[in-house]
Amino acid sequence: MDLCSEIMNREDLCSHTGVVLQSASTREDEVHSTGTLNIVEYSFGKCIEWKPLEVSVVSENQDQDPEWSLVDSHTSRTRSLSEEPDCLGRRIVRILFKELKSIRVHQSGQQLIFMLRDGSSYVAFFQLPNADSFLNSLNSFINWIKSKQDKYLYLILNEVSSNLNKSFAELDIFPENTSEYNVWNFVQKLHDHPYETTMEAFSKLTDVWLYKEPVKPPVEEAVADLLNRSLTVNVHQPPVSVGSGEEYEIIGESGLGILLPQKPSCPRGLPLTQEQWDEWKDSEGRVKNPETVQEMIFRGGIAPSLRYEVWKFLLNYYPWNATSAERMELKKKKTDEYFTMKSQWKYMTIDQENRFSDYRDRKNLIEKDVNRTDRTHPYYSGDKNPHLIQLHDILMTYVMYNFDLGYVQGMSDLLSPILCLMDNEVDAFWCFVGFMEKVSTNFEMDQAGMKAQLCQLHNILLVTEPQLAQYLDKHDSGNMFFCFRWLLVLFKREFNAVDIMELWEILWTDLPCKNFHLLFCAAILDTEKTILIENRYGFTEILKHINDLSLHIELPSTLSKAEGIYHQLMAVAPQLPDNVRVIIGLKPLNKPSEISDHEDEDANNVMTSPNEENNSLINSNNDVSSNFGASEVSFERSLNLSYM
């Protein structure tokens, strides 16, 4: 019996109309049709089935924006019973009961979120708040229990074992029919030249994550397997000893018995306005009190019409104490300097390029990346867009400005919003230089900066969320690698164009402490903690779930929660171990650290405050090389992604 005949042999158990269903990884601007959400029994099992009332305006094969996905979404995988056209050509979605991990009621009963065992999820939007009605129907066919920590989360009791340990033959990260990259040749190369071969493989995976290049699905399983093999870190395993009270969260041994007060309410403020900005300037144009201005920016961001001017101060293009006349003179000087550097590569001959392999490789990589950076944004859309030429020229000039660092994949992501805002090649270049001074260690080949930040984030969780930290450790995720993209391009892929500008300008204030971006990570993970733990997600599912948060993270509430975490830590500052004190900009007390010694202080200046006290905190007694042990080499190599 063919599939179409088998599907025709069905029994409808119940039906609910007026429902829109989409994958959690779907972009906000995609349009979906209304349909029916049914419970259906087939010969292959019972399932939840969504069927449109008419042909969806979104083609199943429509290209997705490569700039906003880390791994393939559930809808772009090899077609299966989960999602396929029916015999009439309509796109339908089937979720087998055995694939369900949990269900969450959201938006006061107007949404149901179906979380699958592979980490993907679907969101059902009901025209009326009747999600409970569908749940009642579903409860006749599925057994579940309600989460003790989240009354809106229902955990499916059915257990389905998953195999997370794929073989190299199943990675599918190599081109087909290419003898140079066949699997067994790869294994032999790995044995003979482990370092170079690992870099080569990770270069391929980097293309998948950053630009979603065509790779056989399921990509997240390939990523999980390769990372789990080579990204293992000996993170301290904290014992479970977590309770809660009305006023305090009790941290177990992993937190040195610290009592954290409840997170305070930290409401957001209004953006800095033109009137307020003008008030803080003297008659010659100096900013009289930059600290107060930065506090206002941290609290509410900057009015969009004012960003063009204020970003130049935040990114050290203009000094805060410079007069209007001094800024004009500085801009003239910077303009001349920019075009001098630009001419160094602009007029390089073909023969020179042929004898300059490093330059040639970087140029090729820039040309490749520029053609796929934010192409759905109106500023960069269309063929022969002049803004793409500017984007290319700025990145090429940066290679000449900082040839030691050169160009690394991800830099175009950081430049794109700046150029879009400045709409001026010179201004965008010098603001980009200032941004790179803050995050350049993210892109260094030894990956010391990224390695340090991942370890620092784990240390923060050990104090603020020890239950989650221990869970991650036990599920091959203590390396925090699922946060790698967040940190590499500073959340660029997680927010829309408007929100990322606000988030960046807030982070550039270095308030309320250095490394506030790590507290922002902790705030997101705090929000997702219950889903990760109660669904018992492993590394593959965690990676998939975190990636699917892209464009679905609420910025104001996450900023408020991150600030609340900061105040929690400051309330118990004398009890914090030194490695956590240093992360948030406090002087070490030279106390023995019982949390984790995975600090690489050579990279501890990432996203730090420029004030004198914070700069003095870089030196620490923690020695990363003495604690990683044998796994340090594989961890460092696995993070040292080859972009050349």
Side-chain angles (χ1 to χ4, degrees):
M1 181 181 297
D2 59 26
L3 181 60
C4 190
S5 300
E6 187 176 2
I7 290 176
M8 292 293 291
N9 184 19
R10 51 177 284 168
E11 179 181 357
D12 292 330
L13 304 178
C14 75
S15 178
H16 290 254
T17 60
V19 181
V20 174
L21 188 75
Q22 70 179 49
S23 168
S25 60
T26 303
R27 300 198 315 270
E28 293 177 341
D29 59 348
E30 290 191 359
V31 181
H32 292 260
S33 60
T34 301
T36 60
L37 194 64
N38 312 307
I39 299 176
V40 183
E41 183 172 10
Y42 293 101
S43 59
F44 48 78
K46 295 185 179 71
C47 67
I48 298 170
E49 180 180 276
W50 178 85
K51 182 179 297 184
L53 297 180
E54 57 187 22
V55 177
S56 173
V57 299
V58 180
S59 171
E60 184 184 14
N61 295 321
Q62 179 179 356
D63 291 336
Q64 295 186 4
D65 177 12
E67 293 302 311
W68 300 97
S69 296
L70 176 60
V71 295
D72 285 353
S73 67
H74 190 77
T75 59
S76 62
R77 295 181 187 174
T78 302
R79 182 176 295 159
S80 67
L81 290 176
S82 297
E83 187 156 353
E84 61 184 38
D86 64 4
C87 297
L88 300 178
R90 295 176 297 182
R91 172 184 170 273
I92 62 175
V93 177
R94 295 188 186 90
I95 304 173
L96 292 172
F97 284 1
K98 63 183 179 181
E99 294 177 352
L100 271 177
K101 188 78 170 180
S102 65
I103 304 172
R104 195 175 196 278
V105 181
H106 195 49
Q107 294 293 333
S108 302
Q110 287 189 285
Q111 294 181 19
L112 285 181
I113 303 175
F114 301 105
M115 283 164 276
L116 279 59
R117 296 184 181 276
D118 66 355
S120 60
S121 56
Y122 285 95
V123 183
F125 300 87
F126 291 80
Q127 289 183 346
L128 298 174
N130 59 352
D132 288 338
S133 175
F134 182 80
L135 273 182
N136 290 335
S137 300
L138 193 60
N139 195 24
S140 302
F141 306 99
I142 296 181
N143 293 321
W144 61 53
I145 58 173
K146 186 177 290 188
S147 166
K148 295 180 180 179
Q149 300 184 27
D150 185 346
K151 64 181 180 180
Y152 301 108
L153 181 65
Y154 297 84
L155 305 173
I156 309 302
L157 293 179
N158 298 37
E159 294 283 345
V160 177
S161 61
S162 60
N163 178 16
L164 300 183
N165 186 24
K166 302 291 183 180
S167 68
F168 276 108
E170 293 173 300
L171 285 178
D172 284 328
I173 63 174
F174 309 109
E176 292 186 63
N177 302 321
T178 304
S179 59
E180 181 183 357
Y181 287 104
N182 70 68
V183 172
W184 301 116
N185 190 31
F186 172 78
V187 173
Q188 183 61 44
K189 288 170 65 179
L190 186 65
H191 179 270
D192 296 337
H193 306 284
Y195 182 84
E196 294 81 357
T197 307
T198 301
M199 295 306 98
E200 187 177 8
F202 270 91
S203 178
K204 180 66 177 178
L205 286 177
T206 301
D207 276 347
V208 174
W209 292 341
L210 286 178
Y211 299 110
K212 199 179 178 185
E213 294 210 337
V215 174
K216 285 186 176 181
V219 176
E220 66 274 8
E221 293 185 6
V223 173
D225 179 66
L226 190 54
L227 293 181
N228 275 322
R229 291 173 184 269
S230 58
L231 229 170
T232 304
V233 183
N234 293 328
V235 179
H236 174 72
Q237 299 288 335
V240 177
S241 180
V242 182
S244 63
E246 294 183 358
E247 298 182 358
Y248 290 92
E249 298 177 18
I250 302 176
I251 308 302
E253 291 183 30
S254 61
L256 305 180
I258 300 172
L259 296 178
L260 287 184
Q262 284 189 326
K263 295 182 187 71
S265 175
C266 300
R268 304 297 301 159
L270 298 175
L272 177 70
T273 65
Q274 184 69 57
E275 293 74 19
Q276 293 170 325
W277 175 246
D278 292 338
E279 287 177 3
W280 287 107
K281 290 182 183 178
D282 64 18
S283 58
E284 293 184 303
R286 299 183 185 88
V287 180
K288 294 181 290 189
N289 195 334
E291 291 79 12
T292 301
V293 173
Q294 291 178 65
E295 288 174 4
M296 297 175 67
I297 295 172
F298 171 76
R299 183 59 48 207
I302 304 171
S305 61
L306 192 57
R307 284 182 174 137
Y308 173 80
E309 183 176 357
V310 181
W311 274 27
K312 296 174 183 177
F313 292 86
L314 288 172
L315 293 171
N316 299 321
Y317 182 9
Y318 291 155
W320 291 94
N321 61 352
T323 65
S324 298
E326 289 170 340
R327 293 196 295 270
M328 290 180 62
E329 184 64 27
L330 179 61
K331 181 169 183 176
K332 182 179 182 302
K333 178 182 177 182
K334 291 288 189 181
T335 300
D336 293 341
E337 186 177 353
Y338 173 78
F339 284 107
T340 298
M341 290 185 293
K342 183 175 180 178
S343 65
Q344 292 175 349
W345 66 267
K346 196 74 172 177
Y347 300 107
M348 189 176 293
T349 67
I350 299 298
D351 287 341
Q352 285 177 305
E353 286 190 24
N354 291 337
R355 292 189 293 268
F356 199 169
S357 59
D358 285 347
Y359 168 84
R360 187 175 62 251
D361 292 342
R362 293 173 183 186
K363 179 182 178 182
N364 292 337
L365 187 55
I366 289 173
E367 291 173 349
K368 181 179 180 181
D369 289 354
V370 163
N371 287 327
R372 55 191 183 184
T373 298
D374 287 347
R375 295 306 303 277
T376 60
H377 193 286
Y379 192 79
Y380 297 105
S381 63
D383 297 332
K384 298 181 180 179
N385 188 315
H387 300 136
L388 295 177
I389 298 176
Q390 290 181 310
L391 195 69
H392 168 273
D393 289 358
I394 293 171
L395 293 171
M396 287 296 300
T397 305
Y398 185 79
V399 170
M400 308 310 297
Y401 174 82
N402 187 355
F403 201 85
D404 284 345
L405 182 60
Y407 177 78
V408 179
Q409 284 177 331
M411 288 184 181
S412 60
D413 269 292
L414 302 186
L415 173 59
S416 172
I418 295 176
L419 177 58
C420 182
L421 175 67
M422 296 295 165
D423 198 29
N424 178 282
E425 193 172 324
V426 174
D427 291 343
F429 173 82
W430 289 110
C431 287
F432 177 66
V433 167
F435 196 178
M436 288 303 301
E437 288 175 354
K438 295 176 178 291
V439 298
S440 60
T441 55
N442 288 7
F443 300 98
E444 292 176 351
M445 290 304 296
D446 64 2
Q447 287 297 315
M450 289 298 299
K451 204 164 51 173
Q453 290 178 86
L454 293 170
C455 292
Q456 289 167 345
L457 176 56
H458 188 270
N459 286 345
I460 290 171
L461 291 182
L462 285 170
V463 173
T464 62
E465 294 292 345
Q467 183 187 22
L468 175 60
Q470 188 205 32
Y471 179 86
L472 295 175
D473 291 340
K474 288 187 174 181
H475 291 77
D476 301 319
S477 302
N479 47 52
M480 307 302 296
F481 197 88
F482 54 88
C483 300
F484 188 89
R485 185 179 69 180
W486 292 357
L487 300 174
L488 179 68
V489 289
L490 207 61
F491 308 101
K492 167 62 163 44
R493 306 296 176 87
E494 318 314 317
F495 294 94
N496 61 37
V498 174
D499 283 350
I500 196 58
M501 288 187 173
E502 181 180 350
L503 176 58
W504 280 357
E505 64 200 15
I506 288 169
L507 295 178
W508 292 337
T509 66
D510 296 314
L511 294 174
C513 65
K514 74 173 188 176
N515 294 317
F516 182 67
H517 66 300
L518 297 180
L519 301 187
F520 190 81
C521 292
I524 300 174
L525 295 176
D526 174 78
T527 301
E528 302 302 317
K529 175 182 65 175
T530 300
I531 290 177
L532 298 180
I533 294 178
E534 298 210 3
N535 280 297
R536 288 174 285 190
Y537 282 164
F539 182 85
T540 303
E541 295 87 357
I542 292 172
L543 178 67
K544 183 71 170 72
H545 179 78
I546 294 300
N547 295 336
D548 283 348
L549 294 179
S550 176
L551 301 182
H552 296 285
I553 303 172
E554 188 179 46
L555 182 59
S557 62
T558 307
L559 284 167
S560 297
K561 181 175 288 189
E563 186 181 358
I565 293 173
Y566 166 75
H567 290 298
Q568 281 184 302
L569 295 175
M570 292 301 294
V572 295
Q575 305 172 55
L576 294 176
D578 279 351
N579 54 5
V580 177
R581 290 178 60 86
V582 170
I583 292 171
I584 60 175
L586 299 176
K587 291 182 178 179
L589 299 176
N590 296 317
K591 297 187 306 181
S593 172
E594 296 182 25
I595 291 186
S596 175
D597 294 322
H598 303 320
E599 295 291 335
D600 187 343
E601 296 304 335
D602 291 336
N604 207 28
N605 61 340
V606 178
M607 287 299 295
T608 59
S609 172
N611 64 61
E612 183 174 336
E613 177 185 9
N614 286 339
N615 287 339
S616 68
L617 298 176
I618 297 177
N619 296 323
S620 172
N621 294 328
N622 297 323
D623 183 2
V624 63
S625 62
S626 64
N627 292 286
F628 273 137
S631 63
E632 158 68 2
V633 175
S634 63
F635 178 69
E636 179 174 352
R637 289 180 176 178
S638 63
L639 283 181
N640 184 11
L641 307 184
S642 175
Y643 297 98
M644 301 301 295

